[in-house]
Amino acid sequence: MALSDAILTRLLSLHPKIIDLSLGRMEALLAKLGHPERKLPPVIHVAGTNGKGSTVAYLRHIMAAAGLKAHAYTSPHLVKFHERIRVAGELISEADLTALLEECEQVNGGLPITFFEITTAAAFLAYSRTPADYLILEVGLGGRLDATNVIDPAVSVITTIDYDHQQYLGDTLSLIAHEKAGILKRGRPAIIGVQPDEARAEIERVGERVRATLHIAGQDWSSYEQHGRLVFQDEKGLLDLPLPQLKGRHQIDNAGNAIATLRVLDDPRITDAHIAEGLKSTTWPARMQRLGQGALSALVPAGSELWLDGGHNPSAGRVLAQAFSELNERHSRPLVMVWGMLNTKDVGSFIGCFAGIASRVITITIPDEENAVPADKLAESARAHGLQAETAPNLDAALRQASSTVPAPRILICGSLYLAGRVLAAHGNEEMTKVSGAGRR
């Protein structure tokens, strides 16, 4: 076990991984640390249900293409905790992470605080001590009471909102949108991605109340595919750009969020050519990721395709099902799903999206996760939605079972970022490198 793993284990025991949305503990700790949140470069604050990570990845890669240094804060991690904290484009070092966590723990003095709060404080310390051009800051959960919502952003971004974490954010899109819109700040610009009508109406209401300047998708800007290109249009004009490297029609929307953000920032150092280069170079693990050669490849027959996606809510299910349906239209082969999920998610609404698309569903229980839905329960849900389903004792067995499909199948491992992290770790060095990735390109 690495030193930071030992420290993280201790932090989890002292500050359980419990969601307790509040800003009081965070504000008190940051005050004791000398307010690092006030010593940050210009912040791009990103909230939403789907597309946050991809939007952050586009921004990060475009800025790298322009030769800029960007801090980035994301969650959860897939393989190692360090993925959450990029300092000036690079994953935080083991030594720095260890020292920062110990400093925050000492300053907190044993007072109640959550795991996410204390690790976010450590990230702010790192960012305040290393120069950079921007900080791209992803919300952990919600927005209004999230631990990241202690900054004054240069611009806020709200990506597509859907049902998720209803036990904390509310059981209607309006209530969820209200929590997400809590990142809007008085007089600050905000990019509003493609939204359901109910969510957009609530965001506009909050924006009007705090007098934020909203730039709304489909109203003030738009992004769409045309003749194999990405077209972005706003009041400043039209951009004709290459399609993103990330797969799926929904990535057009996510790329649009990033481009709209950069157009509002209006940084002369970032040109249209840098945007084009960033779109072509952006990678983001476990988002419609086709796995290359690795340990898991040996478990499936030659000619098969092995895909990974961490989407886990109804909206993610819809866009994923649509993407694989379109993929099948271009190159037909049976789709076999290897599916694991947590009981905090809407299992039925996710798997129901694949009725008529997936030929088989092989369910597994995500290992070492107390909230994992048992494989037999997942199989029951899949069958209830008209899908052919069977269980497997583990991932390796599921892939071997999938291999009996003829012709050689397209295998999609999906349902949870926690499952995705285990897949990447099991697959081996090539995919681990993609997770760690170089910050500067």
Side-chain angles (χ1 to χ4, degrees), residues 225 247-252 288 307 318-333 335 357 410:
E225 181 179 353
K247 305 297 183 184
R249 185 176 298 180
H250 57 293
Q251 291 298 347
I252 301 295
M288 268 203 76
W307 294 77
R318 289 192 296 272
V319 298
L320 193 59
Q322 180 186 40
F324 276 88
S325 180
E326 293 173 353
L327 192 59
N328 190 61
E329 289 177 3
R330 295 194 297 271
H331 182 194
S332 179
R333 62 172 65 207
L335 174 64
I357 297 172
R410 179 174 288 128

Side-chain angles (χ1 to χ4, degrees), residues 90-170:
E90 304 295 337
L91 295 186
I92 192 168
S93 72
E94 181 81 9
D96 287 346
L97 176 60
T98 300
L100 289 164
L101 288 171
E102 289 181 334
E103 180 178 351
C104 290
E105 184 71 9
Q106 182 177 8
V107 168
N108 190 55
L111 293 176
I113 197 164
T114 69
F115 173 78
F116 185 74
E117 288 167 344
I118 202 163
T119 52
T120 300
F124 283 160
L125 272 183
Y127 300 145
S128 70
R129 294 170 178 175
T130 302
D133 297 289
Y134 290 98
L135 164 57
I136 312 166
L137 181 66
E138 181 185 332
V139 166
L141 175 62
R144 183 174 64 92
L145 296 175
D146 184 76
T148 64
N149 199 29
V150 292
I151 48 82
D152 182 17
V155 59
S156 302
V157 183
I158 302 179
T159 66
T160 302
I161 290 172
D162 195 20
Y163 292 100
D164 205 3
H165 299 293
Q166 290 97 309
Q167 67 271 44
Y168 301 106
L169 305 180

